[in-house]
Coordinates of all heavy atoms in Angstrom, one line a residue:
I13 N 93.2 129.3 112.5 CA 93.5 129.2 111.1 C 94.2 127.9 110.8 O 95.2 127.6 111.4 CB 94.3 130.4 110.6 CG1 93.6 131.7 111.0 CG2 94.6 130.4 109.2 CD1 92.3 131.9 110.4
W14 N 93.8 127.2 109.7 CA 94.6 126.1 109.2 C 95.3 126.6 108.0 O 94.7 127.0 107.0 CB 93.7 124.9 108.8 CG 94.4 123.6 108.6 CD1 94.6 122.6 109.4 CD2 95.1 123.3 107.4 NE1 95.4 121.7 108.9 CE2 95.7 122.0 107.6 CE3 95.3 123.9 106.1 CZ2 96.5 121.4 106.6 CZ3 96.1 123.2 105.2 CH2 96.6 122.0 105.4
L15 N 96.6 126.5 108.1 CA 97.5 127.0 107.0 C 98.5 125.9 106.7 O 99.2 125.4 107.6 CB 98.2 128.3 107.6 CG 98.9 129.1 106.6 CD1 98.0 129.6 105.5 CD2 99.5 130.3 107.3
D16 N 98.6 125.6 105.4 CA 99.5 124.5 105.0 C 100.9 124.6 105.6 O 101.5 123.7 106.0 CB 99.5 124.3 103.5 CG 99.9 125.5 102.8 OD1 100.1 126.6 103.4 OD2 100.1 125.4 101.5
K17 N 101.4 125.8 105.5 CA 102.8 126.1 106.0 C 103.0 125.7 107.4 O 104.1 125.4 107.8 CB 103.2 127.5 105.7 CG 103.3 127.9 104.3 CD 103.4 129.4 104.0 CE 104.6 130.0 104.6 NZ 104.8 131.4 104.0
K18 N 102.0 125.9 108.2 CA 102.1 125.6 109.7 C 101.7 124.2 110.0 O 102.3 123.6 111.0 CB 101.2 126.6 110.4 CG 101.7 128.0 110.5 CD 100.8 129.0 111.1 CE 100.0 128.5 112.3 NZ 99.1 129.4 112.9
E19 N 100.8 123.6 109.3 CA 100.2 122.3 109.7 C 100.8 121.1 109.0 O 100.7 120.0 109.5 CB 98.7 122.3 109.4 CG 98.0 123.5 110.0 CD 97.9 123.5 111.5 OE1 98.1 122.4 112.2 OE2 97.8 124.6 112.1
I20 N 101.5 121.3 107.9 CA 102.1 120.1 107.2 C 103.6 120.3 107.3 O 104.2 121.2 106.8 CB 101.7 120.1 105.8 CG1 100.1 120.0 105.7 CG2 102.3 118.9 105.0 CD1 99.6 120.1 104.3
P21 N 104.3 119.3 107.9 CA 105.8 119.3 107.9 C 106.4 119.3 106.5 O 105.9 118.6 105.6 CB 106.2 118.0 108.6 CG 104.9 117.5 109.3 CD 103.8 118.1 108.5
P22 N 107.4 120.1 106.2 CA 108.0 120.1 104.9 C 108.5 118.7 104.5 O 109.0 117.9 105.3 CB 109.3 121.0 105.1 CG 108.9 121.8 106.3 CD 108.1 121.0 107.2
G23 N 108.2 118.4 103.3 CA 108.6 117.1 102.7 C 107.7 115.9 103.1 O 107.9 114.8 102.8
S24 N 106.5 116.3 103.8 CA 105.6 115.2 104.2 C 105.0 114.5 103.0 O 104.5 115.1 102.1 CB 104.5 115.8 105.0 OG 103.5 114.9 105.3
P25 N 105.1 113.2 103.0 CA 104.5 112.4 101.9 C 103.0 112.4 101.9 O 102.4 112.0 100.9 CB 105.1 111.0 102.1 CG 105.3 110.9 103.6 CD 105.7 112.3 104.0
I26 N 102.4 112.8 102.9 CA 100.9 112.7 103.0 C 100.3 114.1 103.0 O 99.2 114.3 103.5 CB 100.4 111.9 104.2 CG1 100.9 112.6 105.5 CG2 100.9 110.5 104.1 CD1 100.2 112.0 106.8
W27 N 101.0 115.1 102.4 CA 100.5 116.5 102.4 C 99.1 116.6 101.8 O 98.2 117.3 102.2 CB 101.5 117.4 101.8 CG 101.8 117.1 100.4 CD1 102.8 116.3 99.9 CD2 101.2 117.6 99.2 NE1 102.8 116.3 98.6 CE2 101.8 117.1 98.1 CE3 100.1 118.5 99.0 CZ2 101.4 117.3 96.8 CZ3 99.7 118.8 97.7 CH2 100.4 118.2 96.6
E28 N 98.9 115.9 100.7 CA 97.6 116.0 100.0 C 96.4 115.4 100.9 O 95.4 116.0 101.0 CB 97.6 115.2 98.7 CG 96.5 115.5 97.8 CD 96.7 114.9 96.4 OE1 97.8 114.4 96.1 OE2 95.8 115.0 95.6
I29 N 96.7 114.4 101.6 CA 95.7 113.8 102.5 C 95.4 114.8 103.6 O 94.3 115.0 104.1 CB 96.2 112.5 103.1 CG1 96.3 111.4 101.9 CG2 95.3 112.0 104.2 CD1 97.0 110.1 102.3
E30 N 96.5 115.5 104.1 CA 96.3 116.5 105.2 C 95.4 117.6 104.7 O 94.6 118.1 105.5 CB 97.6 116.9 105.7 CG 98.4 115.9 106.5 CD 97.7 115.4 107.7 OE1 97.1 116.2 108.4 OE2 97.7 114.2 108.0
I31 N 95.6 118.1 103.5 CA 94.8 119.2 103.0 C 93.3 118.7 102.9 O 92.4 119.4 103.3 CB 95.3 119.6 101.6 CG1 96.7 120.4 101.8 CG2 94.3 120.5 100.9 CD1 97.4 120.8 100.6
E32 N 93.1 117.5 102.4 CA 91.7 117.0 102.2 C 91.1 116.9 103.6 O 89.9 117.3 103.8 CB 91.7 115.6 101.6 CG 92.1 115.7 100.1 CD 92.2 114.3 99.5 OE1 92.1 113.3 100.2 OE2 92.4 114.2 98.3
K33 N 91.8 116.4 104.6 CA 91.3 116.2 106.0 C 90.9 117.6 106.5 O 89.9 117.8 107.1 CB 92.3 115.5 106.8 CG 91.9 115.3 108.3 CD 93.0 114.7 109.0 CE 92.6 114.6 110.5 NZ 93.8 114.2 111.3
A34 N 91.8 118.6 106.3 CA 91.6 119.9 106.9 C 90.3 120.5 106.2 O 89.5 121.2 106.9 CB 92.8 120.8 106.6
I35 N 90.2 120.4 104.9 CA 89.0 120.9 104.3 C 87.7 120.2 104.8 O 86.7 120.9 105.1 CB 89.1 120.9 102.7 CG1 90.2 121.8 102.3 CG2 87.8 121.2 102.1 CD1 90.6 121.7 100.8
K36 N 87.8 118.9 104.9 CA 86.6 118.2 105.4 C 86.2 118.6 106.8 O 85.0 118.7 107.1 CB 86.9 116.7 105.4 CG 86.9 116.0 104.1 CD 87.2 114.5 104.2 CE 87.4 113.9 102.9 NZ 87.8 112.5 103.0
E37 N 87.2 119.0 107.6 CA 86.9 119.3 109.0 C 86.7 120.8 109.3 O 86.3 121.2 110.4 CB 88.0 118.8 109.9 CG 88.1 117.3 109.9 CD 89.2 116.7 110.8 OE1 90.1 117.5 111.3 OE2 89.3 115.5 110.9
T38 N 86.9 121.6 108.3 CA 86.8 123.1 108.5 C 85.4 123.6 108.6 O 84.5 122.9 108.0 CB 87.6 123.8 107.4 OG1 87.8 125.2 107.9 CG2 86.9 123.8 106.1
G39 N 85.2 124.7 109.2 CA 83.9 125.4 109.2 C 83.8 126.3 108.0 O 82.6 126.5 107.6
A40 N 84.9 126.7 107.4 CA 84.8 127.6 106.3 C 86.2 127.6 105.6 O 87.2 127.4 106.2 CB 84.5 129.1 106.8
V41 N 86.1 128.0 104.3 CA 87.3 128.2 103.5 C 87.3 129.6 103.0 O 86.4 130.1 102.5 CB 87.2 127.2 102.2 CG1 88.4 127.5 101.3 CG2 87.3 125.8 102.7
V42 N 88.4 130.3 103.3 CA 88.7 131.6 102.8 C 89.7 131.5 101.7 O 90.8 130.9 101.9 CB 89.3 132.5 103.9 CG1 89.7 133.9 103.3 CG2 88.2 132.8 105.0
V43 N 89.3 131.9 100.5 CA 90.2 131.8 99.3 C 90.6 133.2 99.0 O 89.8 134.1 98.8 CB 89.5 131.1 98.2 CG1 88.3 131.7 97.7 CG2 90.5 131.0 97.0
L44 N 91.9 133.4 98.9 CA 92.5 134.7 98.5 C 92.6 134.8 97.0 O 93.4 134.0 96.4 CB 93.8 134.9 99.2 CG 93.8 134.8 100.7 CD1 95.1 135.1 101.3 CD2 92.7 135.7 101.3
L45 N 91.8 135.6 96.4 CA 91.8 135.7 94.9 C 92.7 136.7 94.4 O 92.8 137.9 94.8 CB 90.4 136.0 94.5 CG 89.3 135.0 94.9 CD1 87.9 135.6 94.5 CD2 89.5 133.7 94.3
S46 N 93.5 136.3 93.4 CA 94.4 137.1 92.7 C 94.7 136.5 91.3 O 94.3 135.3 91.1 CB 95.8 137.2 93.4 OG 96.4 136.0 93.4
P47 N 95.4 137.2 90.4 CA 95.7 136.5 89.1 C 96.5 135.2 89.4 O 96.4 134.2 88.7 CB 96.5 137.6 88.4 CG 95.9 138.8 88.9 CD 95.7 138.6 90.3
D48 N 97.4 135.3 90.4 CA 98.2 134.1 90.7 C 97.4 132.9 91.2 O 97.6 131.8 90.9 CB 99.4 134.5 91.7 CG 100.4 135.3 91.1 OD1 100.8 135.0 89.9 OD2 100.8 136.3 91.7
S49 N 96.5 133.2 92.1 CA 95.6 132.1 92.7 C 94.7 131.6 91.6 O 94.4 130.4 91.6 CB 94.8 132.6 93.9 OG 93.8 133.5 93.5
N50 N 94.3 132.5 90.7 CA 93.4 132.0 89.6 C 94.2 131.0 88.7 O 93.6 130.2 88.1 CB 92.9 133.2 88.8 CG 91.8 132.8 87.9 OD1 91.0 131.9 88.2 ND2 91.6 133.5 86.8
N51 N 95.5 131.2 88.6 CA 96.3 130.3 87.8 C 96.9 129.1 88.5 O 97.6 128.3 88.0 CB 97.4 131.1 87.1 CG 96.9 132.0 86.1 OD1 96.0 131.7 85.3 ND2 97.5 133.2 86.0
S52 N 96.6 129.0 89.8 CA 97.1 127.9 90.6 C 96.2 126.7 90.5 O 95.0 126.7 90.9 CB 97.2 128.4 92.1 OG 97.4 127.3 92.9
V53 N 96.8 125.6 90.1 CA 96.1 124.3 90.0 C 95.7 123.9 91.4 O 94.5 123.4 91.6 CB 97.0 123.2 89.4 CG1 96.4 121.9 89.6 CG2 97.3 123.6 88.0
W54 N 96.5 124.2 92.5 CA 96.1 123.7 93.8 C 95.0 124.5 94.4 O 94.2 124.0 95.1 CB 97.4 123.6 94.7 CG 98.0 122.3 94.4 CD1 99.2 122.1 93.7 CD2 97.5 121.0 94.8 NE1 99.4 120.8 93.5 CE2 98.4 120.1 94.2 CE3 96.5 120.6 95.5 CZ2 98.3 118.7 94.4 CZ3 96.3 119.2 95.6 CH2 97.2 118.3 95.1
V55 N 95.0 125.8 94.2 CA 93.9 126.6 94.7 C 92.6 126.1 94.1 O 91.6 126.0 94.8 CB 94.1 128.1 94.4 CG1 92.9 128.9 94.7 CG2 95.3 128.7 95.3
R56 N 92.6 125.9 92.8 CA 91.4 125.4 92.1 C 91.0 124.0 92.7 O 89.8 123.7 92.9 CB 91.6 125.3 90.6 CG 91.6 126.7 90.0 CD 91.9 126.6 88.5 NE 91.8 127.9 87.9 CZ 90.7 128.5 87.4 NH1 89.6 127.7 87.4 NH2 90.7 129.7 86.9
R57 N 92.0 123.1 92.9 CA 91.6 121.8 93.5 C 91.0 122.0 94.9 O 90.1 121.3 95.2 CB 92.9 120.9 93.6 CG 93.3 120.4 92.2 CD 94.5 119.5 92.3 NE 94.9 119.1 91.0 CZ 96.0 118.4 90.8 NH1 96.8 118.0 91.8 NH2 96.3 118.0 89.6
E58 N 91.6 122.8 95.7 CA 91.1 123.1 97.0 C 89.6 123.6 97.0 O 88.8 123.2 97.7 CB 92.0 124.0 97.8 CG 93.3 123.4 98.2 CD 94.4 124.4 98.6 OE1 94.1 125.6 98.6 OE2 95.4 123.9 99.0
L59 N 89.4 124.5 96.1 CA 88.0 125.1 95.9 C 87.1 124.0 95.5 O 85.9 123.9 96.0 CB 88.0 126.2 94.9 CG 88.6 127.5 95.4 CD1 88.6 128.5 94.2 CD2 87.7 128.1 96.5
N60 N 87.4 123.2 94.5 CA 86.6 122.1 94.0 C 86.3 121.1 95.1 O 85.1 120.7 95.3 CB 87.2 121.4 92.8 CG 87.2 122.3 91.6 OD1 86.4 123.2 91.4 ND2 88.1 122.0 90.6

């Protein structure tokens, strides 16, 4: 599992690049759907 909390050091200036890299290299994306995730700009960006 690639999880932002585990893979990106807190305060990292390149966190967005790390997320993009992880998505490019992953075999699959599991998105947890809820009213909160539906309102999350970052969940939507990751999905897109």
Side-chain angles (χ1 to χ4, degrees):
I13 306 301
W14 192 97
L15 193 59
D16 59 350
K17 291 166 66 166
K18 288 175 36 183
E19 306 294 336
I20 302 174
S24 174
I26 60 167
W27 59 271
E28 194 170 352
I29 293 169
E30 292 297 320
I31 289 172
E32 290 175 358
K33 180 181 172 190
I35 292 172
K36 286 178 184 175
E37 293 178 355
T38 195
V41 173
V42 171
V43 58
L44 304 183
L45 300 175
S46 70
D48 290 316
S49 70
N50 194 30
N51 290 322
S52 169
V53 171
W54 279 103
V55 169
R56 287 178 176 267
R57 286 181 182 175
E58 290 165 355
L59 282 174
N60 289 337

